[in-house]
Short mmCIF file of all heavy atoms in Angstrom, two decimals:
data_model
loop_
_atom_site.label_atom_id
_atom_site.label_comp_id
_atom_site.label_asym_id
_atom_site.label_seq_id
_atom_site.Cartn_x
_atom_site.Cartn_y
_atom_site.Cartn_z
N MET A 1 0.83 -1.18 0.03
CA MET A 1 0.02 -0.02 0.02
C MET A 1 0.82 1.19 -0.05
O MET A 1 2.07 1.17 0.33
CB MET A 1 -1.01 -0.06 1.17
CG MET A 1 -0.68 0.75 2.39
SD MET A 1 -1.78 0.53 3.82
CE MET A 1 -3.32 1.23 3.28
N LYS A 2 0.30 2.38 -0.41
CA LYS A 2 1.05 3.62 -0.50
C LYS A 2 0.37 4.65 0.34
O LYS A 2 -0.90 4.79 0.29
CB LYS A 2 1.01 4.03 -2.02
CG LYS A 2 2.10 4.93 -2.43
CD LYS A 2 2.06 4.90 -3.99
CE LYS A 2 2.67 6.13 -4.60
NZ LYS A 2 2.44 6.10 -6.08
N LYS A 3 1.16 5.40 1.17
CA LYS A 3 0.53 6.47 1.97
C LYS A 3 1.44 7.66 1.91
O LYS A 3 2.57 7.64 1.74
CB LYS A 3 0.57 5.94 3.42
CG LYS A 3 -0.63 5.12 3.83
CD LYS A 3 -1.75 5.95 4.31
CE LYS A 3 -2.94 5.05 4.57
NZ LYS A 3 -4.20 5.85 4.47
N GLU A 4 0.76 8.85 2.03
CA GLU A 4 1.42 10.05 2.04
C GLU A 4 1.45 10.60 3.50
O GLU A 4 0.43 10.50 4.26
CB GLU A 4 0.70 11.12 1.13
CG GLU A 4 1.52 12.42 1.00
CD GLU A 4 0.84 13.36 0.03
OE1 GLU A 4 -0.04 12.99 -0.68
OE2 GLU A 4 1.24 14.57 0.06
N PHE A 5 2.59 11.16 3.86
CA PHE A 5 2.72 11.70 5.20
C PHE A 5 3.21 13.20 5.07
O PHE A 5 4.07 13.47 4.29
CB PHE A 5 3.87 11.01 5.98
CG PHE A 5 3.63 9.50 6.17
CD1 PHE A 5 3.81 8.62 5.15
CD2 PHE A 5 3.18 9.03 7.40
CE1 PHE A 5 3.54 7.20 5.31
CE2 PHE A 5 2.91 7.64 7.59
CZ PHE A 5 3.15 6.78 6.54
N ALA A 6 2.67 14.01 5.86
CA ALA A 6 3.06 15.39 5.99
C ALA A 6 4.25 15.34 6.95
O ALA A 6 4.15 14.69 8.00
CB ALA A 6 1.98 16.32 6.54
N ILE A 7 5.38 15.96 6.69
CA ILE A 7 6.53 15.95 7.50
C ILE A 7 7.02 17.34 7.69
O ILE A 7 7.42 17.99 6.72
CB ILE A 7 7.67 15.05 6.97
CG1 ILE A 7 7.18 13.65 6.68
CG2 ILE A 7 8.85 15.03 7.93
CD1 ILE A 7 8.13 12.81 5.86
N LYS A 8 6.98 17.88 8.95
CA LYS A 8 7.36 19.23 9.24
C LYS A 8 8.74 19.34 9.86
O LYS A 8 9.11 18.48 10.63
CB LYS A 8 6.36 19.84 10.25
CG LYS A 8 4.97 19.99 9.65
CD LYS A 8 4.84 21.19 8.78
CE LYS A 8 3.43 21.27 8.16
NZ LYS A 8 3.37 22.16 7.00
N GLY A 9 9.48 20.38 9.52
CA GLY A 9 10.72 20.68 10.24
C GLY A 9 11.96 20.24 9.47
O GLY A 9 13.08 20.49 9.95
N MET A 10 11.89 19.72 8.28
CA MET A 10 13.02 19.35 7.49
C MET A 10 13.57 20.62 6.81
O MET A 10 12.79 21.37 6.19
CB MET A 10 12.74 18.28 6.36
CG MET A 10 12.26 17.01 6.96
SD MET A 10 12.00 15.79 5.59
CE MET A 10 10.67 16.57 4.59
N THR A 11 14.90 20.86 6.97
CA THR A 11 15.48 22.07 6.41
C THR A 11 16.50 21.84 5.32
O THR A 11 16.87 22.78 4.70
CB THR A 11 16.12 22.92 7.55
OG1 THR A 11 17.11 22.06 8.23
CG2 THR A 11 15.05 23.41 8.56
N CYS A 12 16.95 20.64 5.20
CA CYS A 12 18.03 20.43 4.17
C CYS A 12 18.04 18.92 3.82
O CYS A 12 17.36 18.14 4.35
CB CYS A 12 19.42 20.82 4.72
SG CYS A 12 20.04 19.72 6.04
N LYS A 13 19.00 18.54 2.81
CA LYS A 13 19.00 17.22 2.39
C LYS A 13 19.38 16.22 3.47
O LYS A 13 19.12 15.06 3.34
CB LYS A 13 19.93 17.13 1.17
CG LYS A 13 21.35 17.43 1.44
CD LYS A 13 22.22 17.36 0.16
CE LYS A 13 23.68 17.63 0.59
NZ LYS A 13 24.56 17.67 -0.48
N HIS A 14 20.10 16.72 4.47
CA HIS A 14 20.48 15.78 5.57
C HIS A 14 19.25 15.35 6.38
O HIS A 14 19.15 14.22 6.82
CB HIS A 14 21.53 16.48 6.53
CG HIS A 14 22.78 16.80 5.76
ND1 HIS A 14 23.12 18.10 5.51
CD2 HIS A 14 23.77 16.03 5.24
CE1 HIS A 14 24.27 18.13 4.79
NE2 HIS A 14 24.65 16.91 4.62
N CYS A 15 18.33 16.32 6.52
CA CYS A 15 17.07 15.94 7.24
C CYS A 15 16.36 14.88 6.38
O CYS A 15 15.84 13.95 6.95
CB CYS A 15 16.20 17.19 7.32
SG CYS A 15 16.88 18.51 8.32
N VAL A 16 16.31 15.09 5.07
CA VAL A 16 15.62 14.18 4.23
C VAL A 16 16.21 12.79 4.33
O VAL A 16 15.63 11.81 4.42
CB VAL A 16 15.77 14.67 2.71
CG1 VAL A 16 15.26 13.61 1.76
CG2 VAL A 16 14.89 15.95 2.53
N ALA A 17 17.59 12.79 4.29
CA ALA A 17 18.31 11.44 4.47
C ALA A 17 18.02 10.84 5.73
O ALA A 17 17.89 9.62 5.86
CB ALA A 17 19.83 11.70 4.36
N ARG A 18 17.92 11.60 6.82
CA ARG A 18 17.64 11.05 8.17
C ARG A 18 16.23 10.43 8.20
O ARG A 18 16.05 9.27 8.70
CB ARG A 18 17.74 12.12 9.22
CG ARG A 18 17.84 11.57 10.64
CD ARG A 18 17.76 12.54 11.71
NE ARG A 18 18.62 13.66 11.51
CZ ARG A 18 18.80 14.67 12.42
NH1 ARG A 18 18.11 14.62 13.56
NH2 ARG A 18 19.58 15.69 12.18
N VAL A 19 15.29 11.11 7.60
CA VAL A 19 13.97 10.57 7.57
C VAL A 19 13.89 9.31 6.72
O VAL A 19 13.35 8.26 7.08
CB VAL A 19 12.92 11.56 7.06
CG1 VAL A 19 11.57 11.05 6.78
CG2 VAL A 19 12.81 12.80 8.00
N GLU A 20 14.57 9.34 5.53
CA GLU A 20 14.56 8.27 4.66
C GLU A 20 15.24 6.95 5.32
O GLU A 20 14.70 5.90 5.25
CB GLU A 20 15.41 8.49 3.45
CG GLU A 20 14.64 9.15 2.37
CD GLU A 20 15.48 9.71 1.17
OE1 GLU A 20 16.71 9.58 1.18
OE2 GLU A 20 14.88 10.20 0.22
N GLU A 21 16.34 7.22 5.96
CA GLU A 21 17.06 6.10 6.67
C GLU A 21 16.18 5.55 7.78
O GLU A 21 16.20 4.31 7.96
CB GLU A 21 18.39 6.58 7.26
CG GLU A 21 19.49 6.60 6.32
CD GLU A 21 20.75 7.26 6.82
OE1 GLU A 21 20.90 7.32 8.00
OE2 GLU A 21 21.47 7.86 6.02
N GLY A 22 15.53 6.42 8.52
CA GLY A 22 14.68 5.95 9.59
C GLY A 22 13.57 5.05 9.09
O GLY A 22 13.35 3.93 9.60
N ILE A 23 12.94 5.50 8.04
CA ILE A 23 11.78 4.78 7.54
C ILE A 23 12.32 3.45 6.91
O ILE A 23 11.69 2.40 7.09
CB ILE A 23 11.03 5.59 6.46
CG1 ILE A 23 10.38 6.83 7.13
CG2 ILE A 23 9.96 4.71 5.74
CD1 ILE A 23 9.68 7.75 6.18
N ASN A 24 13.41 3.54 6.22
CA ASN A 24 14.01 2.35 5.60
C ASN A 24 14.43 1.27 6.61
O ASN A 24 14.65 0.11 6.25
CB ASN A 24 15.11 2.67 4.64
CG ASN A 24 14.59 3.10 3.26
OD1 ASN A 24 13.70 2.48 2.70
ND2 ASN A 24 15.14 4.14 2.69
N SER A 25 14.64 1.71 7.83
CA SER A 25 15.07 0.75 8.83
C SER A 25 13.93 -0.12 9.34
O SER A 25 14.12 -1.11 10.05
CB SER A 25 15.69 1.49 10.05
OG SER A 25 14.68 2.12 10.81
N LEU A 26 12.68 0.29 8.96
CA LEU A 26 11.50 -0.55 9.34
C LEU A 26 11.33 -1.73 8.35
O LEU A 26 11.77 -1.68 7.22
CB LEU A 26 10.24 0.31 9.27
CG LEU A 26 10.19 1.49 10.31
CD1 LEU A 26 9.06 2.44 9.89
CD2 LEU A 26 10.03 0.97 11.71
N PRO A 27 10.71 -2.85 8.84
CA PRO A 27 10.40 -3.98 7.95
C PRO A 27 9.33 -3.64 6.98
O PRO A 27 8.51 -2.79 7.24
CB PRO A 27 9.93 -5.07 8.95
CG PRO A 27 9.40 -4.32 10.09
CD PRO A 27 10.21 -3.05 10.19
N GLY A 28 9.42 -4.24 5.80
CA GLY A 28 8.30 -4.10 4.88
C GLY A 28 8.23 -2.83 4.08
O GLY A 28 7.23 -2.60 3.36
N ILE A 29 9.30 -2.00 4.10
CA ILE A 29 9.31 -0.76 3.34
C ILE A 29 9.78 -1.07 1.93
O ILE A 29 10.82 -1.60 1.75
CB ILE A 29 10.25 0.27 3.98
CG1 ILE A 29 9.77 0.59 5.46
CG2 ILE A 29 10.30 1.59 3.18
CD1 ILE A 29 8.40 1.18 5.57
N GLU A 30 9.00 -0.63 0.92
CA GLU A 30 9.38 -0.96 -0.49
C GLU A 30 9.93 0.31 -1.18
O GLU A 30 10.78 0.17 -2.01
CB GLU A 30 8.13 -1.42 -1.27
CG GLU A 30 7.70 -2.84 -0.75
CD GLU A 30 6.31 -3.28 -1.09
OE1 GLU A 30 5.57 -2.46 -1.75
OE2 GLU A 30 5.91 -4.36 -0.62
N LYS A 31 9.35 1.50 -0.89
CA LYS A 31 9.88 2.70 -1.55
C LYS A 31 9.61 3.97 -0.64
O LYS A 31 8.49 4.03 -0.10
CB LYS A 31 9.16 2.84 -2.91
CG LYS A 31 9.85 3.84 -3.84
CD LYS A 31 9.23 3.73 -5.23
CE LYS A 31 9.94 4.79 -6.13
NZ LYS A 31 9.30 4.89 -7.40
N VAL A 32 10.59 4.79 -0.59
CA VAL A 32 10.40 5.98 0.16
C VAL A 32 10.78 7.22 -0.72
O VAL A 32 11.82 7.23 -1.28
CB VAL A 32 11.31 6.04 1.39
CG1 VAL A 32 11.09 7.28 2.28
CG2 VAL A 32 11.08 4.80 2.29
N LYS A 33 9.85 8.17 -0.83
CA LYS A 33 10.17 9.34 -1.56
C LYS A 33 9.77 10.59 -0.68
O LYS A 33 8.64 10.84 -0.41
CB LYS A 33 9.26 9.35 -2.88
CG LYS A 33 9.53 10.46 -3.79
CD LYS A 33 10.60 10.13 -4.93
CE LYS A 33 10.90 11.32 -5.76
NZ LYS A 33 11.99 12.16 -5.26
N ILE A 34 10.89 11.28 -0.24
CA ILE A 34 10.65 12.39 0.61
C ILE A 34 10.82 13.71 -0.20
O ILE A 34 11.80 13.78 -1.00
CB ILE A 34 11.76 12.44 1.74
CG1 ILE A 34 11.73 11.13 2.51
CG2 ILE A 34 11.44 13.66 2.67
CD1 ILE A 34 10.51 10.85 3.32
N ASN A 35 9.88 14.63 -0.07
CA ASN A 35 10.04 15.93 -0.75
C ASN A 35 10.17 17.07 0.29
O ASN A 35 9.23 17.37 1.01
CB ASN A 35 8.74 16.11 -1.67
CG ASN A 35 8.91 17.28 -2.53
OD1 ASN A 35 9.25 18.39 -2.16
ND2 ASN A 35 8.71 17.03 -3.84
N LEU A 36 11.36 17.64 0.25
CA LEU A 36 11.71 18.72 1.20
C LEU A 36 10.83 19.91 1.04
O LEU A 36 10.27 20.45 1.96
CB LEU A 36 13.17 19.06 1.00
CG LEU A 36 13.79 20.19 1.82
CD1 LEU A 36 13.70 19.79 3.29
CD2 LEU A 36 15.19 20.38 1.48
N LYS A 37 10.61 20.39 -0.23
CA LYS A 37 9.80 21.56 -0.53
C LYS A 37 8.33 21.37 -0.21
O LYS A 37 7.72 22.31 0.36
CB LYS A 37 9.98 21.96 -1.97
CG LYS A 37 11.19 22.75 -2.23
CD LYS A 37 11.13 23.44 -3.60
CE LYS A 37 12.48 24.11 -3.97
NZ LYS A 37 12.76 23.97 -5.41
N LYS A 38 7.79 20.26 -0.51
CA LYS A 38 6.43 19.98 -0.28
C LYS A 38 6.14 19.60 1.18
O LYS A 38 5.04 19.47 1.61
CB LYS A 38 5.86 18.90 -1.21
CG LYS A 38 5.76 19.28 -2.62
CD LYS A 38 5.09 18.16 -3.41
CE LYS A 38 5.05 18.43 -4.91
NZ LYS A 38 4.75 17.15 -5.67
N GLU A 39 7.22 19.34 1.86
CA GLU A 39 7.17 18.86 3.27
C GLU A 39 6.29 17.61 3.37
O GLU A 39 5.37 17.52 4.22
CB GLU A 39 6.64 19.90 4.18
CG GLU A 39 7.49 21.18 4.23
CD GLU A 39 7.14 22.16 5.33
OE1 GLU A 39 5.98 22.66 5.17
OE2 GLU A 39 7.83 22.39 6.27
N ASN A 40 6.62 16.72 2.53
CA ASN A 40 5.82 15.42 2.64
C ASN A 40 6.73 14.16 2.27
O ASN A 40 7.86 14.36 1.81
CB ASN A 40 4.58 15.51 1.76
CG ASN A 40 4.85 15.32 0.27
OD1 ASN A 40 6.00 15.31 -0.17
ND2 ASN A 40 3.79 15.18 -0.56
N GLY A 41 6.18 13.09 2.44
CA GLY A 41 6.79 11.83 1.99
C GLY A 41 5.77 10.83 1.55
O GLY A 41 4.66 10.80 2.10
N VAL A 42 6.13 10.13 0.50
CA VAL A 42 5.27 9.05 0.01
C VAL A 42 6.00 7.72 0.20
O VAL A 42 7.11 7.57 -0.19
CB VAL A 42 4.89 9.25 -1.48
CG1 VAL A 42 4.04 8.12 -1.99
CG2 VAL A 42 4.14 10.58 -1.68
N VAL A 43 5.36 6.87 0.96
CA VAL A 43 5.95 5.58 1.29
C VAL A 43 5.12 4.45 0.77
O VAL A 43 3.90 4.39 1.01
CB VAL A 43 6.14 5.49 2.80
CG1 VAL A 43 6.80 4.23 3.20
CG2 VAL A 43 6.80 6.71 3.40
N LYS A 44 5.78 3.53 0.05
CA LYS A 44 5.12 2.34 -0.37
C LYS A 44 5.66 1.27 0.53
O LYS A 44 6.85 1.03 0.77
CB LYS A 44 5.56 2.06 -1.83
CG LYS A 44 4.59 1.20 -2.60
CD LYS A 44 4.99 1.04 -4.05
CE LYS A 44 4.39 -0.23 -4.61
NZ LYS A 44 5.26 -0.77 -5.64
N PHE A 45 4.71 0.47 1.04
CA PHE A 45 5.11 -0.57 2.03
C PHE A 45 4.14 -1.74 2.00
O PHE A 45 3.03 -1.69 1.48
CB PHE A 45 5.14 0.04 3.39
CG PHE A 45 3.89 0.67 3.83
CD1 PHE A 45 2.92 -0.02 4.60
CD2 PHE A 45 3.56 1.99 3.45
CE1 PHE A 45 1.73 0.59 5.00
CE2 PHE A 45 2.32 2.58 3.87
CZ PHE A 45 1.43 1.83 4.59
N ASP A 46 4.62 -2.79 2.62
CA ASP A 46 3.80 -4.07 2.77
C ASP A 46 3.02 -3.93 4.12
O ASP A 46 3.64 -4.01 5.18
CB ASP A 46 4.71 -5.29 2.80
CG ASP A 46 3.95 -6.56 3.00
OD1 ASP A 46 2.72 -6.50 3.29
OD2 ASP A 46 4.59 -7.59 2.87
N GLU A 47 1.70 -3.69 3.99
CA GLU A 47 0.90 -3.43 5.16
C GLU A 47 0.80 -4.65 6.12
O GLU A 47 0.33 -4.51 7.20
CB GLU A 47 -0.43 -2.88 4.84
CG GLU A 47 -1.36 -3.83 4.12
CD GLU A 47 -1.30 -3.68 2.59
OE1 GLU A 47 -0.14 -3.33 2.04
OE2 GLU A 47 -2.31 -3.90 1.94
N SER A 48 1.27 -5.85 5.68
CA SER A 48 1.24 -6.99 6.56
C SER A 48 2.42 -6.96 7.56
O SER A 48 2.55 -7.68 8.52
CB SER A 48 1.22 -8.31 5.79
OG SER A 48 2.45 -8.52 5.19
N GLN A 49 3.45 -6.02 7.16
CA GLN A 49 4.67 -5.99 7.95
C GLN A 49 4.83 -4.69 8.75
O GLN A 49 5.48 -4.70 9.76
CB GLN A 49 5.85 -6.15 7.05
CG GLN A 49 6.03 -7.50 6.45
CD GLN A 49 7.31 -7.57 5.70
OE1 GLN A 49 8.46 -7.63 6.28
NE2 GLN A 49 7.25 -7.73 4.35
N VAL A 50 4.18 -3.64 8.21
CA VAL A 50 4.36 -2.35 8.97
C VAL A 50 3.15 -1.52 8.73
O VAL A 50 2.44 -1.60 7.68
CB VAL A 50 5.69 -1.65 8.42
CG1 VAL A 50 5.54 -1.24 6.91
CG2 VAL A 50 6.04 -0.45 9.25
N SER A 51 2.78 -0.76 9.77
CA SER A 51 1.52 0.11 9.67
C SER A 51 1.89 1.59 9.40
O SER A 51 3.00 1.96 9.73
CB SER A 51 0.82 0.00 11.05
OG SER A 51 1.55 0.58 12.03
N PRO A 52 1.00 2.34 8.90
CA PRO A 52 1.23 3.75 8.70
C PRO A 52 1.62 4.45 9.97
O PRO A 52 2.52 5.27 10.06
CB PRO A 52 -0.09 4.30 8.18
CG PRO A 52 -0.77 3.16 7.55
CD PRO A 52 -0.32 1.93 8.33
N GLN A 53 1.00 3.97 11.07
CA GLN A 53 1.31 4.60 12.40
C GLN A 53 2.76 4.33 12.78
O GLN A 53 3.43 5.15 13.39
CB GLN A 53 0.33 4.02 13.46
CG GLN A 53 0.43 4.69 14.86
CD GLN A 53 0.25 6.23 14.75
OE1 GLN A 53 -0.78 6.72 14.19
NE2 GLN A 53 1.23 7.03 15.17
N ALA A 54 3.26 3.09 12.51
CA ALA A 54 4.64 2.73 12.84
C ALA A 54 5.61 3.62 12.06
O ALA A 54 6.63 4.00 12.57
CB ALA A 54 4.81 1.22 12.56
N ILE A 55 5.20 3.90 10.81
CA ILE A 55 6.06 4.73 9.96
C ILE A 55 6.07 6.16 10.50
O ILE A 55 7.14 6.83 10.74
CB ILE A 55 5.57 4.78 8.50
CG1 ILE A 55 5.71 3.36 7.92
CG2 ILE A 55 6.32 5.79 7.63
CD1 ILE A 55 5.05 3.15 6.57
N ALA A 56 4.92 6.66 10.91
CA ALA A 56 4.79 7.98 11.51
C ALA A 56 5.59 8.06 12.78
O ALA A 56 6.27 9.10 13.05
CB ALA A 56 3.26 8.36 11.75
N ASP A 57 5.51 6.97 13.66
CA ASP A 57 6.23 7.00 14.91
C ASP A 57 7.69 7.04 14.67
O ASP A 57 8.46 7.72 15.43
CB ASP A 57 5.89 5.69 15.65
CG ASP A 57 4.47 5.74 16.27
OD1 ASP A 57 3.86 6.83 16.24
OD2 ASP A 57 4.05 4.66 16.74
N LYS A 58 8.21 6.45 13.65
CA LYS A 58 9.64 6.38 13.31
C LYS A 58 10.08 7.77 12.90
O LYS A 58 11.11 8.30 13.31
CB LYS A 58 9.92 5.39 12.17
CG LYS A 58 11.38 5.34 11.73
CD LYS A 58 12.39 5.11 12.88
CE LYS A 58 12.44 3.60 13.24
NZ LYS A 58 13.54 3.38 14.23
N VAL A 59 9.28 8.48 12.09
CA VAL A 59 9.61 9.86 11.66
C VAL A 59 9.69 10.74 12.89
O VAL A 59 10.58 11.54 13.02
CB VAL A 59 8.55 10.38 10.63
CG1 VAL A 59 8.86 11.88 10.31
CG2 VAL A 59 8.61 9.56 9.34
N THR A 60 8.77 10.60 13.81
CA THR A 60 8.76 11.42 15.05
C THR A 60 10.01 11.08 15.80
O THR A 60 10.71 12.00 16.33
CB THR A 60 7.55 11.02 15.91
OG1 THR A 60 6.37 11.27 15.12
CG2 THR A 60 7.43 11.91 17.16
N GLU A 61 10.42 9.78 15.92
CA GLU A 61 11.57 9.29 16.59
C GLU A 61 12.80 9.97 16.10
O GLU A 61 13.73 10.33 16.88
CB GLU A 61 11.62 7.79 16.53
CG GLU A 61 12.62 7.10 17.45
CD GLU A 61 12.79 5.68 17.09
OE1 GLU A 61 11.73 4.95 17.07
OE2 GLU A 61 13.89 5.22 16.83
N VAL A 62 12.95 10.13 14.76
CA VAL A 62 14.20 10.75 14.26
C VAL A 62 14.10 12.28 14.33
O VAL A 62 15.04 12.93 13.94
CB VAL A 62 14.53 10.27 12.82
CG1 VAL A 62 14.77 8.80 12.77
CG2 VAL A 62 13.49 10.70 11.77
N GLY A 63 13.01 12.83 14.78
CA GLY A 63 12.97 14.25 15.18
C GLY A 63 12.06 15.17 14.31
O GLY A 63 12.27 16.37 14.43
N TYR A 64 11.06 14.69 13.61
CA TYR A 64 10.25 15.51 12.84
C TYR A 64 8.76 15.21 13.04
O TYR A 64 8.36 14.10 13.33
CB TYR A 64 10.56 15.31 11.33
CG TYR A 64 12.00 15.56 11.07
CD1 TYR A 64 12.86 14.50 11.00
CD2 TYR A 64 12.43 16.90 10.89
CE1 TYR A 64 14.28 14.76 10.85
CE2 TYR A 64 13.83 17.16 10.69
CZ TYR A 64 14.65 16.05 10.70
OH TYR A 64 16.03 16.30 10.54
N ALA A 65 8.00 16.31 13.07
CA ALA A 65 6.55 16.25 13.28
C ALA A 65 5.95 15.66 12.00
O ALA A 65 6.25 16.07 10.94
CB ALA A 65 5.92 17.60 13.65
N THR A 66 5.03 14.76 12.22
CA THR A 66 4.43 14.14 10.99
C THR A 66 2.97 13.81 11.26
O THR A 66 2.52 13.71 12.37
CB THR A 66 5.20 12.89 10.61
OG1 THR A 66 4.71 12.39 9.37
CG2 THR A 66 5.05 11.74 11.63
N GLU A 67 2.30 13.57 10.17
CA GLU A 67 0.95 13.20 10.21
C GLU A 67 0.59 12.39 8.91
O GLU A 67 1.13 12.65 7.85
CB GLU A 67 0.13 14.50 10.08
CG GLU A 67 -1.38 14.39 10.23
CD GLU A 67 -2.05 15.77 9.98
OE1 GLU A 67 -1.35 16.81 9.93
OE2 GLU A 67 -3.27 15.78 9.76
N VAL A 68 -0.16 11.34 9.07
CA VAL A 68 -0.62 10.48 7.90
C VAL A 68 -1.67 11.29 7.18
O VAL A 68 -2.62 11.73 7.84
CB VAL A 68 -1.12 9.13 8.39
CG1 VAL A 68 -1.40 8.26 7.19
CG2 VAL A 68 -0.12 8.43 9.30
N LEU A 69 -1.53 11.41 5.88
CA LEU A 69 -2.50 12.15 5.14
C LEU A 69 -3.51 11.17 4.49
O LEU A 69 -3.24 10.05 4.28
CB LEU A 69 -1.84 12.97 4.01
CG LEU A 69 -0.95 14.09 4.56
CD1 LEU A 69 -0.22 14.78 3.39
CD2 LEU A 69 -1.72 15.18 5.32
CU1 CU B 1 18.70 19.28 7.69
#
């Protein structure tokens, strides 16, 4: 399944990399596309292995406010 997340507080490509790495560390992640300008991320994942909430929790854990859209 594919979900979009609003991600607030990213200021540079390092922030993007941190969010990407965090999400990619979860099981079942297939594709992560983070957009700094739009302040969002689109994640494709296997919903039998990971939930949208778990992805949002990870983004929060690495330091950014997020919301599942
Ligand atoms: Cu940054």
Side-chain angles (χ1 to χ4, degrees):
M1 101 186 292
K2 203 165 158 188
K3 278 269 176 206
E4 186 177 346
F5 299 79
I7 304 170
K8 294 282 178 196
M10 297 185 295
T11 55
C12 70
K13 63 181 181 180
H14 300 108
C15 299
V16 171
R18 196 188 310 183
V19 172
E20 275 173 355
E21 275 169 31
I23 294 172
N24 277 317
S25 74
L26 294 166
I29 302 297
E30 289 161 5
K31 195 171 181 188
V32 182
K33 184 97 184 85
I34 306 294
N35 190 306
L36 180 60
K37 277 193 187 147
K38 289 184 184 165
E39 298 188 297
N40 76 355
V42 177
V43 184
K44 203 175 156 210
F45 57 95
D46 178 351
E47 67 267 32
S48 70
Q49 293 187 66
V50 67
S51 65
Q53 189 56 54
I55 295 168
D57 287 349
K58 177 57 79 174
V59 175
T60 304
E61 192 188 306
V62 300
Y64 303 93
T66 188
E67 185 187 349
V68 186
L69 297 174

